[in-house]
Amino acid sequence: MIYTAIGMAGSGALATFSYLRSRRTGTSYYAEAYGMTPATHRNYAIASAGFFALFLGLALAHQNAFAAVALAPFALLSILYATSFLRGFSDQDV
């Protein structure tokens, strides 16, 4: 049960955060330099919502072993989303 709870909490938080980021208007440094456009944030929100549904289904079916396995691709998605903001300065920015 703990794996499904962790998965639902994490995917729900990531879905909410990325959806709220997709609603922002105007240009930003992230959109120009990193390609983090509203459509990109929306895609992460959709993927996270899918993981939330997966973890919810696994919780209702009492499939904790599958939830532990499903945490790996969700962790990869979360890491990719988080590191898209942490790219840092490069020579191309000059």
Side-chain angles (χ1 to χ4, degrees), residues 6-75:
I6 291 170
M8 287 192 321
S11 60
L14 184 63
T16 302
F17 179 77
S18 56
Y19 175 74
L20 293 175
R21 293 288 297 191
S22 73
R23 304 280 296 166
R24 291 189 177 177
T25 58
T27 60
S28 70
Y29 181 72
Y30 294 114
E32 294 173 8
Y34 304 144
M36 293 300 290
T37 63
T40 306
H41 291 290
R42 200 173 312 113
N43 289 337
Y44 276 105
I46 291 168
S48 298
F51 272 108
F52 182 83
L54 173 68
F55 287 118
L56 180 63
L58 291 173
L60 294 175
H62 302 290
Q63 297 294 323
N64 292 327
F66 291 122
V69 173
L71 277 174
F74 173 68

